[in-house]
Amino acid sequence: MNQVQLRPRPSRSLTASVVALVVLAGAVVLTVASVSRLVDGTWPTWFVDPASSLGQQTWGSTTVLATGAVVLVLGVVLLLAAVVPGRRSGAAIALEVENAEQSEVVLTQRGLARLAAAAADEVDGVEHVDVSASSTAVRVLAVTSSLDDADTVRSAVEEAVRSRLDVLGTGPVRPVQSRVRVKES
């Protein structure tokens, strides 16, 4: 059986990438300076000058306090980004799963959009459907060739999508917004 790993919460890849790049840059600088020290017997001037300038600072100086405050704020922000869960990236579906102690069924935004597109495509008069789903709404753009039935098609598409999404749980998963574009022949 093929198991698909659902991620009901967003990953922290951006935060992890920024931290990894900062640590990598620091490691590269220290490695280059250390190799230069081993080869020449002295530390390079681009490494020693900032270090000696920093070494002359006192603990109460404005530079040290400002740098410490910036590093503290950055550390707290990164810690909170790692610990606090983000918004859901999928739609929780109210279904009961048999033979499970605890279960949660999650439908991805893409899956929600495909389900809405299938429902809208079944409406009479619809030639093409473009659907997008976000965490706030399902947006449906239906294309029809009949100028007279545009309002009827729009309301039928909206009702079909709403009824299809209502089956998923107790109430609508997302609000449905629909538009109809008349295709010129």
Side-chain angles (χ1 to χ4, degrees), residues 141-174:
L141 173 64
V143 177
T144 184
S145 59
S146 174
L147 181 61
D148 299 334
D149 296 334
D151 289 334
T152 307
V153 168
R154 188 190 65 72
S155 61
V157 164
E158 198 165 307
E159 181 57 35
V161 171
R162 272 201 189 108
S163 65
R164 181 75 55 98
L165 296 182
D166 283 346
V167 172
L168 295 177
T170 57
V173 177
R174 300 278 192 277

Side-chain angles (χ1 to χ4, degrees), residues 77-155:
V77 166
L78 289 175
L79 185 64
L80 287 176
V83 173
V84 175
R87 293 184 310 178
R88 290 185 172 274
S89 61
I93 308 301
L95 294 175
E96 295 293 325
V97 178
E98 293 181 22
N99 302 328
E101 286 182 26
Q102 183 179 12
S103 65
E104 181 181 30
V105 179
V106 178
L107 185 63
T108 63
Q109 305 292 7
R110 182 178 176 192
L112 197 63
R114 291 176 106 181
L115 189 65
D121 201 31
E122 293 173 358
V123 174
D124 287 338
V126 173
E127 293 182 16
H128 176 71
V129 176
D130 186 24
V131 179
S132 65
S134 68
S135 61
T136 57
V138 175
R139 291 172 186 83
V140 181
L141 173 64
V143 177
T144 184
S145 59
S146 174
L147 181 61
D148 299 334
D149 296 334
D151 289 334
T152 307
V153 168
R154 188 190 65 72
S155 61

Side-chain angles (χ1 to χ4, degrees), residues 46-107:
W46 56 265
F47 187 74
V48 174
D49 290 342
S52 64
S53 173
L54 185 62
Q56 294 172 359
Q57 300 292 326
T58 62
W59 282 105
S61 71
T62 308
T63 306
V64 171
L65 292 177
T67 304
V70 168
V71 169
L72 176 70
V73 168
L74 182 63
V76 168
V77 166
L78 289 175
L79 185 64
L80 287 176
V83 173
V84 175
R87 293 184 310 178
R88 290 185 172 274
S89 61
I93 308 301
L95 294 175
E96 295 293 325
V97 178
E98 293 181 22
N99 302 328
E101 286 182 26
Q102 183 179 12
S103 65
E104 181 181 30
V105 179
V106 178
L107 185 63

